[in-house]
Amino acid sequence: MSILITTKYPKMHLTNQNPKNSINSEILDYPFTDYWDIFIIKHQHPINIALHILGILFFYSLLLTSWILNNPWLLIALPLTQTVGLLGHLLFERSHVDIQDAVFSLRASRCLGLMLLRTLQGKYRQDIHQRLEILHQYQAQKEMHN
């Protein structure tokens, strides 16, 4: 029996055999078929979440400041906003970071925006608990069959 998790958000189907979809070195098999679910598992630590949100706010602040001051040179600093989130992974949550997602990818941008929205709505913690419960049920079922 396999568990398939679905969400109401737009799908980004994937396979857990693809190294880009790794969670960490300890979780090699999981039931998720949408990158949002994996993203949630990779972003659980409160300080890591806060650093990612700070990076998002820093990114949009730089864009807005560049536009208001009519200074495109400020855009050179945009890549630095990514380092804030990477610092969260380096220091607080040792989950797999795909280099393309770290630099820029639509799936990561979508998930970062969704994390910001869900956090502002007060629902991101609930998302984490739901995905962890599904993961633990999946792992328990696999253990029973082995």
Side-chain angles (χ1 to χ4, degrees):
M1 177 181 204
S2 72
I3 300 171
L4 178 67
I5 181 70
T6 59
T7 62
K8 62 183 177 178
Y9 305 104
K11 293 290 182 201
M12 290 184 185
H13 292 286
L14 46 86
T15 173
N16 55 358
Q17 279 74 37
N18 184 341
K20 285 182 66 167
N21 301 324
S22 298
I23 294 175
N24 61 34
S25 60
E26 297 171 6
I27 303 173
L28 303 176
D29 191 20
Y30 48 82
F32 306 117
T33 61
D34 183 42
Y35 185 69
W36 169 242
D37 301 317
I38 292 172
F39 182 91
I40 291 172
I41 296 294
K42 291 170 137 182
H43 298 85
Q44 300 176 49
H45 194 284
I47 297 175
N48 189 27
I49 294 166
L51 286 172
H52 277 71
I53 290 173
L54 184 65
I56 294 167
L57 297 175
F58 183 35
F59 178 87
Y60 286 110
S61 295
L62 267 174
L63 281 178
L64 184 62
T65 303
S66 175
W67 180 69
I68 289 172
L69 298 178
N70 196 24
N71 184 352
W73 288 103
L74 289 175
L75 299 177
I76 292 172
L78 283 178
L80 294 175
T81 65
Q82 304 295 343
T83 60
V84 178
L86 290 174
L87 196 60
H89 286 285
L90 180 67
L91 299 176
F92 301 101
E93 190 163 32
R94 292 291 189 141
S95 54
H96 172 77
V97 177
D98 179 68
I99 191 67
Q100 182 180 353
D101 287 339
V103 175
F104 177 78
S105 77
L106 290 178
R107 75 181 192 163
S109 296
R110 172 190 157 261
C111 289
L112 285 167
L114 198 49
M115 177 172 63
L116 175 62
L117 177 66
R118 301 289 289 171
T119 301
L120 292 174
Q121 292 173 334
K123 297 179 179 180
Y124 190 71
R125 272 282 144 220
Q126 178 184 348
D127 292 340
I128 293 171
H129 292 300
Q130 179 190 39
R131 295 332 184 277
L132 286 174
E133 179 63 31
I134 291 165
L135 180 62
H136 292 133
Q137 286 176 5
Y138 178 79
Q139 290 171 332
Q141 279 186 344
K142 291 207 55 125
E143 284 293 318
M144 286 182 11
H145 294 308
N146 288 338

